[in-house]
Amino acid sequence: MSSSAGARPGPPPGARRCCRSACPRPAVATLTYVYADSTAVLGSLSASPEPHTYDLCAPHAERLTAPRGWEVVRLAPDVSHERRSDDDLLALADAVRDAARPRASDAQGPSSAAQRGPVEPPAQETARRGHLRVLRDAGGPRG
């Protein structure tokens, strides 16, 4: 077998490749479009391939541009080299579902609030983009 002098090495077997046509480089970032907010979100490589997302190599991720009128949100790369487990993702999904459910104690009125004990200060919203919010815990660090 002969190899061309200008050939770039591809990703190792089993690794995900950049989705750009004819790009042999390994994927390092995942691109997702939020059409309702006209936003392209570029973050660290997802734990597994997802439908409607695009895996990109470092050069293509750096040069990414969005259509006119759209915003590109670049999330900080995941500094831990560990891959997220499915358990982490499921725990996050469960927490979001639980937060969206109305609580039975809220329907009982203010008398039950006194029985619950001290009330923690609410989290403060630090940023907002469409339906997404970034919250900072107003209570400070816990130990």
Side-chain angles (χ1 to χ4, degrees):
M1 292 181 120
S2 65
S3 63
S4 62
R8 291 180 290 214
R16 291 169 20 210
R17 252 182 38 137
C18 180
C19 70
R20 299 296 300 262
S21 58
C23 181
R25 291 183 284 262
V28 298
T30 298
L31 171 66
T32 305
Y33 290 105
V34 182
Y35 294 98
D37 297 331
S38 300
T39 303
V41 180
L42 184 66
S44 57
L45 188 64
S46 62
S48 60
E50 299 288 336
H52 310 294
T53 64
Y54 304 91
D55 294 337
L56 298 174
C57 64
H60 283 124
E62 289 171 10
R63 293 190 311 243
L64 175 74
T65 60
R68 183 176 295 150
W70 282 56
E71 181 179 351
V72 176
V73 175
R74 295 178 189 270
L75 302 176
D78 190 5
V79 292
S80 70
H81 297 290
E82 297 179 54
R83 303 294 301 258
R84 290 189 191 115
S85 70
D86 290 341
D87 292 339
D88 293 340
L89 187 57
L90 292 173
L92 178 61
D94 289 339
V96 169
R97 271 190 230 107
D98 289 344
R101 287 189 191 125
R103 295 186 180 128
S105 60
D106 292 343
Q108 294 174 358
S111 62
S112 66
Q115 296 172 357
R116 282 185 266 165
V119 177
E120 294 182 17
Q124 296 175 345
E125 185 174 321
T126 60
R128 186 177 192 93
R129 177 69 183 144
H131 68 283
L132 303 173
R133 298 183 303 171
V134 176
L135 302 176
R136 181 178 64 225
D137 188 8
R142 296 180 186 173

